Amino acid sequence: QLQASGGGLVQAGGSLRLSCAVSGRSITNYRMGWFRQAPGKEREFVARINWSAGVTNYAASVKLRFTISGDNAKNAVYLQMNSLKPEDTAVYYCATQPLWRSSLQVTSVGYYDYWGQGTLVTVSS
């Protein structure tokens, strides 16, 4: 199971750190992604970490502001979000991508199999 936490209300320009605690599976056996879904919009890719390749990917809209990382000992993944903007307001989800799936499939929701319940981030202007 995946348990996302750390969301909340923050002013524009502020920071939040989201956590995704993973149980029942080792994060090193997956690529781990963060997605978000704003009201009335489709779920969209935010970031992914590929442990084996040592590669991280980011959506253009969050690059240089957000950082994805993980802690193997805690079996958890994090999303550090800085310089938050009102347009970052959304429910944020963590998800696992099996290693057997092509690593080229970075942003597609359908290529991630297990999802957390989401945590709400609200950025006020």
Side-chain angles (χ1 to χ4, degrees):
Q1 293 188 353
L2 286 72
Q3 182 75 32
S5 61
L9 174 63
V10 64
Q11 288 189 332
S15 298
L16 279 176
R17 188 193 192 210
L18 305 184
S19 299
C20 177
V22 182
S23 60
R25 60 194 67 211
S26 172
I27 60 174
T28 57
N29 292 332
Y30 294 85
R31 305 179 200 104
M32 297 296 300
W34 283 98
F35 287 74
R36 67 186 182 186
Q37 188 166 16
K41 294 188 176 182
E42 294 187 350
R43 193 167 298 188
E44 66 175 5
F45 170 78
V46 175
R48 187 188 77 173
I49 186 164
N50 183 342
W51 311 102
S52 60
V55 173
T56 55
N57 304 95
Y58 296 94
S61 59
V62 307
K63 205 167 186 178
L64 301 182
R65 298 189 298 122
F66 291 10
T67 303
I68 187 171
S69 64
D71 186 329
N72 293 347
K74 295 183 178 180
N75 212 38
V77 181
Y78 308 101
L79 186 68
Q80 177 66 42
M81 307 186 295
N82 299 328
S83 303
L84 283 161
K85 305 175 181 180
E87 51 263 44
D88 295 318
T89 295
V91 176
Y92 284 71
Y93 300 88
C94 55
T96 60
Q97 183 181 61
L99 294 180
W100 57 265
R101 288 199 182 276
S102 170
S103 62
L104 298 177
Q105 296 295 343
V106 178
T107 64
S108 299
V109 169
Y111 285 87
Y112 292 77
D113 55 354
Y114 290 98
W115 295 79
Q117 86 290 357
T119 184
L120 176 62
V121 172
T122 304
V123 184
S124 63
S125 57

